[in-house]
Amino acid sequence: MIDAVSHRKLSQELSKILPSSEQVFDDARSLEEYSKDLSFTPAIRPGCVVRPKTGEEVRSIVGWANQTGTPLVPVSSGPPHFRGDTVPSVGGAVIVDLSGLNRIVRIDRRNKIAIVEPGVTFDQLQPELARAGMVLSMPLLPRRSKSVVTSLLEREPILIPRFQWQLLDPLRFLEVVWGNGDTLRTGEAGAYRPIDADKPIMQLAPFGPVQVDYYRLVSAAQGTMGIVMWAAAKCEVLPTVHEFFFVPSDTLNPLIDLAYKVLRVRFGDELFIMNNANLASVAGEDREEIERLKQELPNWVLVLGIAGRNRLPEERVRFQREDISGMCQDLGLKLLSRVCTVNGTQMEQLLGQCNRETPWKLSGKGGGQDIFFLTTLDRTPEFIEAVSAVSREEKYSTADIGIYLQPTQQGASCHCEFNFPFDPGNSSQRGIVSGLYRRASETLLKHDAFFSRPYGIWADMVYNRDAQTTMTLKKIKGIFDPNNIMNPGRLFWAETAREG
Amino acid sequence: MSLRRDIYQALEDIVGPEYALVDEPFLDSYAFQWGTELFRPNGNKFMPRPEAVLLPGSAGEVQAIARVCNKHKIKYKAFSTGWSVYAAPYTEGQILLDMRRLDRILDIDEKNMFAVIEPNVIGATLQAEAMKVGLNTHIIGSGCVSSPLAAATSFLGHGPDSLFMGQAAENLLAAEWVLPTGDIVRTGSLGAGIGWFCGDGPGPSVRAIIRGGSGARGALGVFTKCAVKLYPWPGPAQLPVEGTIPAYHSPLPPQIKAYTIAFPDWGAYADAHYKIYDAEIGYILHRQYNKLGEDLGPAFFMMYIDPTKTIDDLEEMLERPEIKKLTEEMRVSTQIVLCGMTQGDIAWQERALGEILAETGGWKVAAMSDPMMEKFTLLYLIRLGFKGLNMVFSGGYRGSFSQKGTPDFAVGYRAQAASVLAKHQKTGLIVEAGGDSMMGPGGGMGGGGHIGFEQFCFYDPSDLASINAALDYFEDAAREAKRLGLTSGYEARIFEARLTEQEKRTAFLSAPQPALYRYQRQIKDIFDPNDLGDDQYAVMPKDRKGA
Amino acid sequence: MSLEQYSADMKRCIRCSYCKWVILSQIKSWRFARGCPSEAFTKIHTYSASGKMGVSLALLEGRFNYSSEGLLDIAYKCQLCGSCDVACKVCRYFMEPLEMMRELRARLVEEGQLVPEHMFTIDGLRAEDNMMSKTKGERGNWIQGCDVKSLAGEKGPVLFHAGCRLSFDEELSPTARKALEILKKAGVEVGVMGKDETCCGGRAYDLGYRGEFTKYAEHNTEAWRSAGVKTVVTCCSDCYYAFKVLYAKYGLRKNVEVLHVTEFLERLVAEGKIKFARKLPMKVTYHDPCHLGRLAEDYAPWNGKEKKIKGQIVTWEPKRPIRRGANGIYETPRSLLRSIPGIELVEMERTREYAWCCGAAGGAKEAYPDFALWTAKERIEEAQSTGADALVTACPWCERNFLDAVPSSGSNTAIYDIVDLVGQAM
């Protein structure tokens, strides 16, 4: 932990790079705010917080950090944070708050591309896209302060699996300032400059340039490789008709079969499965309603959206509804327009929301911890059984566990998520969930859960299991952040700065 | 054999004597490659002769070979099916690994829609097996005789079906990769022994350094297995094929339809593609028949579906009034296959296509909807087993202006590309196929967005004057592309016959971001410290400072 | 033609590997997708047609010489089945990989590069007029006791040619006898050469011994002329191909119709001259012999030259006939099988012009018996996969190779010549 003198020196030096007084903060409150989040990650105070407003300022900060060996922790979304990746893991770090880089650089309806800076939130972007007749596929109910770029980079699963040919979709190309200070435009932006509004969008693919997929190096990297200055996302045509349906079931397996059938024909749009607890948390407006819904909702619900866009929308919705209804019948299920008091219109509004101040996971008890990983949909019952068993042993009520199954990559994989709500003011509950979180994670790993986004304690678990990947990533990191200034201590860097 | 006896023995001990080839006839058969005459001077059909050709039977054998090569600093390169100069040695003293013995489909996970394959599985066999369980595989533009593993891990990979099935890079899930050093990396979920379903992670992906846009083409290690995504196929479990050779055709159920759609101008052509992307229709979208040139393509294919005719009938065919009319009609056209997952789906797609055509002034070319031609088109585009027709004129065939980009972008350079080729066709030393001899995917990647307009030049590889005329054209095309501000294109490494060593070494300097080649140098220094991969993996020369 | 005359083809070969596979559009499974036995067995690219294109070009360019290690093996570990030729011609009209490979062999023989096992066989041919290394005096044993005209001394319109395999292979000879009996019973005025029959010369041709081929071709056609033969019928597909195609190619067969026995039998069934009295309740699958199928299209003489149009498109003037298996004898044997009461015919995956070879031809059985048997076992496995009780063929070389392979194949698939089933059903 650096002392007050060092803090002042940091802010003094950074003030030379960012001359505005509104860009450099080292007051106690600011430092406290960034020292922790809502996860169980140990709190560590940063040395300073900076808020650059231009790419040039970011480059200067990174250059300075290399010269001085100062760790940087990039943060784009506003609070609350959940994953531990925005909390420094070493003392004396500088938080690079990118929320001030919040330009929507470009919206191109014809090519369905939006280019945004890291401070742009879904709440800011979606209305602009809507004006252009587009929408960006979102993860589940991002909070108001959620950065679009962060969501894309961290591979948060989107609700519409058929738009994911690969796991990083809908992320396309981007510009990154690496930890070594170089700036690179990735994908086909490497050859052309798509941010120049007077030039047409030339190309779109995220691959490359040449023989390296640079954008994959900043994907799920938790800010350990570089700082993204802007990113492009593939958007979709805004639906003009959008209906939502529910398929309830007492048991999970029939819904898994249904999901596979729907994925097989690539019908529908939004497609996910939730248990009653999570659907209640999503749909309930307050704690009372959440509790009521938890009791009334069926054990499992498959939620399905069917959208008609700018061409024959009603017809598209109609034939898909009929066909999917037939699939339901074959499995002894029913495609309903409401389940309990939750109806399709409500779900449409909910899933289009990106402006909640309080994230949905916290609305039940005020606090919560998640465990999520990738697997295949057919294996999820096994993981659910395993988590339930550990929960019982840890004396956490299984009725409170929220479960969210999101098919990804057009069905090749599935994001499997467990939510453990608790009252953060209740130390006993907090203690139970803290212990449960670790034990359940270890158990899930033993069952072959793939923690593809290795936050917090998962990093050690998953990298210890795959030594070759760890060694390879370290070598790659040595190219793009040789001085280990980018969020050291996260992912596979177990040690502090200047690891050899 | 110039390999030291003990080194050869060490290699032979790994694969067994029957799979270690050092006799000259064998080595020359592997040096013989398609397109070598554009790559080496004086119409030479042979790349440098390899020192030896080894056929490993497992990843373990590949590792062992890599260790021997590292110990003795011997360059080596692997290939899957081995089509094109990329698969041959680039320098003297290189060992080739023919991955032929690894040819199994290890698994088809029907529910989660992916397959685990070895290098010598070809698109046709994977498709045949996938169709048995109601699935299909992406087949790259070079056709179903190519390796999906090679495409996914090592080279380009777009194709006619990319609109629906993505391009090869998008389809790669986990992979087993023997690094140049002989270490094995298993990417994504496979690294932790968890399975094949995810190629990314944990955290940032090792997969990043596998391929980028163009792939390492065998110059950065060897891929011994990978998983590729599969896609829905609502057609029969076995592709029905009828007809007399070569005019096979596939009578498919009415929910699978093929059309040639034509437009009044290129603006409408581009507009239609955007509308197709928006509407999310189409299983295959590819400007296929123009591949033999706007002046010749329609005549050729009309002739081809008559099994009593041969290329000797082409001249007569070209004179027929109805063919001339068809040729004019098809100048601004492309092919599309609609595949309805259900009756409701195909009905909707048909209506959507009809609207798009009406809005853009386009139409379905009636002659191409003749039942026999439609069935032929379906077989052609679904199985992609007629790609050898690219070379039907005289064997020489290579692309220029190999760009993929938005429809507006592609249509934007089309006219100049056509003009350059037309000028060179007047020499009579390359085929006078019409200035627009462009073919390419209409989707380019999953969900669309890209058109590929690759401009093809046809020449006779047995005729040095024709080869030189082709090289003249490719040089001119490269100049024009540069003038238009285009990148060098994805096949730019083909035409090196006239480059000096200095020009090859400094080619990277004209790239928009030369630093990329420094990064690739750094990656190579780490993962191939003994420099055993050839320069298909492009790097900044070691003596170059900064960029 | 000479090997040099194929150098343009060699340079125009694009090494696409179509030659290694069954016609790509026809692939139905991973298991039965391969078309080239040489490449499938060795797993080495060199043994494919495109491999041999490269080898031949290298040879012509002097990159190595005729005595180079491995060259003989590359040229001769191949049945010359023509699968590569057909697959190539789907897209490359007049590439001639099969002819090129034959020229390579002829060149090797000219250069004195000889496969020892083939030398032995050819020595036997020269001495005893057969490819079975048997004494010619025993040639007529298969018809002993059979009342049939000898066209060695008499005249007759129809000659039944048994061929070397059926003449000397005691296990298979009854097929020839049965065929003859059927023809006689149907009222055909048929005769034989008996012990004076000689080899057709076809296999010698395939081994590269052109001189021997010419000698037997001239002898046979003269013998036919002397006997006033108008139609030659044979059970042997190799002989059928030699007479129909090779003799025509060399301008030696004039005004003599060549029929495979299945063609003749089909006619007789249609005319009601063969009647089936018994049912044969059997599920069978039919193997297309290469020399009756894709290789057996009529040969039309052509003497033209290359003509480039549109700058560099290679065409031919006058129009060049194309042989790519379209008009092989495929339907006739099938029709014959279907006409036998009780027979259920099921198809293998690789049939007709893209059928897998039996493994016996091209000198493979003589010089590379393991390779020949492996090829046959592949086919037997394919037959078994159809659920058929029996694999039926129309060539004694195919039949022999299948019979030799069955014991080690692990299969109990029965092997028949089509004539045997016809005979059983009559």
Side-chain angles (χ1 to χ4, degrees), chain A residues 112 162 203 211 260 323, chain B residues 112 202 278 280 342 404 536:
Chain A
K112 298 201 295 251
R162 69 187 178 81
Q203 292 176 320
Q211 289 158 309
Y260 274 127
D323 286 331
Chain B
N112 298 296
D278 280 358
E280 296 180 70
T342 63
K404 280 178 292 144
Q536 279 300 289

Side-chain angles (χ1 to χ4, degrees), chain B residues 100 103 129 248 304 313 460, chain C residues 30 39 90 308 319 353:
Chain B
R100 162 68 174 88
D103 67 347
E129 292 298 328
Y248 300 117
Y304 188 77
D313 295 298
D460 183 353
Chain C
W30 173 87
E39 190 272 345
V90 169
K308 282 189 174 177
K319 181 170 169 174
E353 68 271 16

Side-chain angles (χ1 to χ4, degrees), chain B residues 2 32 86 132 222 263 406 540:
Chain B
S2 63
F32 174 82
Y86 305 127
K132 291 178 186 174
V222 182
F263 299 90
T406 67
M540 183 183 294

Side-chain angles (χ1 to χ4, degrees), chain B residues 43 48 56 115 170 203 234 261 290 297 329 371 403 427 445 475 501:
Chain B
E170 297 176 280
I261 50 178
N290 204 67
E329 189 183 356
Q403 307 286 324
T427 64
M445 52 184 172
E475 278 185 337
E501 285 308 310

